[in-house]
Each structure stands twice: as structure tokens, then as C-alpha cells.
């Protein structure tokens, strides 16, 4: 008599959310830092190259932390939030709410964690609200007249079913749906885990200390 094991639940790749504008800005800033500090290291007189090295050691990890690094990874079981100086892993069973006010944030185990990778733009939200308001007006997709074609009625129904949202609100809505669907999954149970990003913190502190020492002995 053979024992039949239950089929494993399918595993899906993580959805990744990050700010493209922040990444582009970070890459440009890193290129500028590399150019300025590299040129000073090669051509700077006296102690200037040491100052350039200390400034670069401080500026590069901070630039990476606030631009390139922030990201949110989400799958059917959990969400992993990579903020500038720490990584927060949140199983959906521990998540109480995902919301977006003036910033995007998740509530879990009595604590609040901001989603740096999902910046909230009040301007984009107002624009989306205006678009929704225009769609609800008569003659603009809000109501279809008796003599209107079927395609017009279908487009109005589609617009009502899929309202325009600001980018940050769209991401929060997707995360909220994942949280609701995954809260009862066996693999989505557990407590929140927080890990500090020492790979960012350590070089930044070293650069700051080096810069202070160089200024003190100058």
C-alpha cells in the first residue's frame, strides 16, 4: 500500500516594486561621485586624495541606500521590504494592513514599516482623482445613452470596473490583494523578521569617521 503525498503548492517568482526615477537618479549620482572622487584621487595635491577617498566611502553607500537599494519583493507567501538601512520580511499571516496615505506603509505585529520603494505622489493622486471625476460625468463614459452603440457601453463598464489609480495606490492595492489571498496559506505564517543592512551602515560609518579624523588632524 503506497502512501500518496499531497501535491505541493505552486511557487511563483517574486513581484518586484521599485521607483525607476530613484534608480536613474542614483546611477547618475554614483557616476558623478566616481568622476569627482576619482579625478581628485589621481590629481589632488597633498592630503586631498585622502579626503576624496573618505568622502567617496561615505557618499557611495548613502547614495545606494536611498536610491538604488529600496525595493519591495512580494509573492504568495510573504513580502520582503528592502529599505535604506534594513530588510523587513513579513509573512502575509502577520500583516494587519497595507495602506498609502502620505507614504506607503505596512502594519504588522503592532509595528509600522514604511515602503521606501513606493513613493507617494500627491500630485499623481490628484490627477487620477480628476480622471475618475471626468469619467463619471455624463457624456464622458459615465452614462451611455439609449441610442449608444454596444462598444460605448462596454468601454464605460470597463472604465468603471478598472478605475484610474495613482502608481503608488496601484502598488498598494496589489499588495493588499496578495495579503488577503495569502493570509491563510500554510507557508505565509510566522513572525516579522528585521535585519539591519550592515553592508551599507559599516562603510558609511567608516567613511564618516575617516573624514572626521582627517579634518581634526588637518
Amino acid at each position: 500500500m503506497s502512501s500518496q503525498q499531497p501535491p505541493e503548492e505552486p511557487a511563483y517568482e517574486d513581484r518586484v516594486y521599485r521607483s525607476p526615477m530613484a534608480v536613474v537618479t542614483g546611477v547618475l549620482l554614483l557616476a558623478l561621485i566616481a568622476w569627482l572622487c576619482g579625478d581628485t584621487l589621481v590629481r589632488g595635491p597633498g592630503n586631498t586624495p585622502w579626503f576624496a577617498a573618505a568622502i567617496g566611502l561615505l557618499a557611495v553607500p548613502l547614495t545606494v541606500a536611498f536610491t538604488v537599494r529600496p525595493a519591495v519583493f512580494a509573492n504568495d507567501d510573504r513580502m520582503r521590504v528592502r529599505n535604506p538601512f534594513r530588510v523587513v520580511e513579513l509573512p502575509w499571516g502577520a500583516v494587519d494592513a497595507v495602506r498609502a496615505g502620505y507614504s506607503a506603509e505596512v502594519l504588522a505585529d503592532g509595528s509600522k514599516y514604511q515602503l521606501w520603494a513606493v513613493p507617494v505622489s500627491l500630485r499623481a493622486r490628484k490627477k487620477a482623482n480628476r480622471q475618475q471625476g471626468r469619467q463619471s460625468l455624463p457624456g464622458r463614459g459615465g452614462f451611455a445613452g439609449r441610442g449608444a452603440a454596444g462598444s460605448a457601453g462596454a468601454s464605460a463598464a470597463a472604465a468603471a470596473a478598472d478605475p484610474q489609480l495613482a502608481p503608488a495606490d496601484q502598488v498598494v492595492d496589489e499588495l493588499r490583494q496578495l495579503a488577503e489571498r495569502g493570509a491563510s496559506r500554510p507557508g505565509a505564517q510566522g513572525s516579522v523578521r528585521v535585519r539591519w543592512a550592515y553592508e551599507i551602515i559599516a562603510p558609511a560609518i567608516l567613511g564618516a569617521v575617516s573624514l572626521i579624523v582627517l579634518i581634526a588632524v588637518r
Side-chain angles (χ1 to χ4, degrees):
M1 184 175 180
S2 61
S3 59
Q4 187 176 5
Q5 296 181 351
E8 296 183 356
E9 294 183 345
Y12 299 97
E13 294 184 358
D14 288 353
R15 302 185 187 185
V16 183
Y17 304 94
R18 59 178 6 124
S19 171
M21 184 61 65
V23 173
V24 171
T25 302
V27 171
L28 293 176
L29 287 175
L30 289 173
L32 180 62
I33 293 170
W35 174 53
L36 293 176
C37 292
D39 184 70
T40 306
L41 280 170
V42 174
R43 302 182 183 183
N47 291 334
T48 305
W50 293 103
F51 278 94
I55 292 173
L57 192 59
L58 173 63
V60 168
L62 291 181
T63 301
V64 171
F66 287 100
T67 58
V68 180
R69 176 180 168 82
V72 174
F73 306 88
N75 56 29
D76 289 342
D77 290 332
R78 64 193 65 245
M79 173 170 60
R80 183 162 58 93
V81 181
R82 196 169 67 189
N83 281 340
F85 299 113
R86 61 181 181 175
V87 177
V88 185
E89 188 172 323
L90 305 108
W92 291 128
V95 172
D96 299 321
V98 184
R99 64 189 186 187
Y102 293 105
S103 63
E105 55 194 22
V106 56
L107 305 180
D109 288 350
S111 299
K112 179 172 66 175
Y113 306 95
Q114 287 192 339
L115 308 181
W116 283 74
V118 188
V120 173
S121 172
L122 298 181
R123 182 177 181 181
R125 182 178 290 168
K126 290 179 180 178
K127 182 179 179 181
N129 291 337
R130 286 197 300 267
Q131 290 178 350
Q132 291 185 40
R134 285 197 294 267
Q135 288 179 357
S136 64
L137 292 176
R140 294 198 177 190
F143 300 97
R146 293 184 178 180
S151 58
S155 62
D162 185 19
Q164 296 291 328
L165 293 175
D169 294 330
Q170 290 179 356
V171 171
V172 168
D173 187 60
E174 290 181 15
L175 294 174
R176 188 182 296 118
Q177 292 179 17
L178 285 172
E180 292 174 354
R181 290 200 303 263
S184 59
R185 288 172 59 92
Q189 308 307 313
S191 58
V192 178
R193 291 188 296 177
V194 180
R195 180 182 68 83
W196 289 98
Y198 295 107
E199 65 276 13
I200 296 290
I201 298 172
I205 293 177
L206 181 60
V209 171
S210 301
L211 188 59
I212 292 172
V213 171
L214 287 171
I215 294 174
V217 301
R218 186 176 179 180

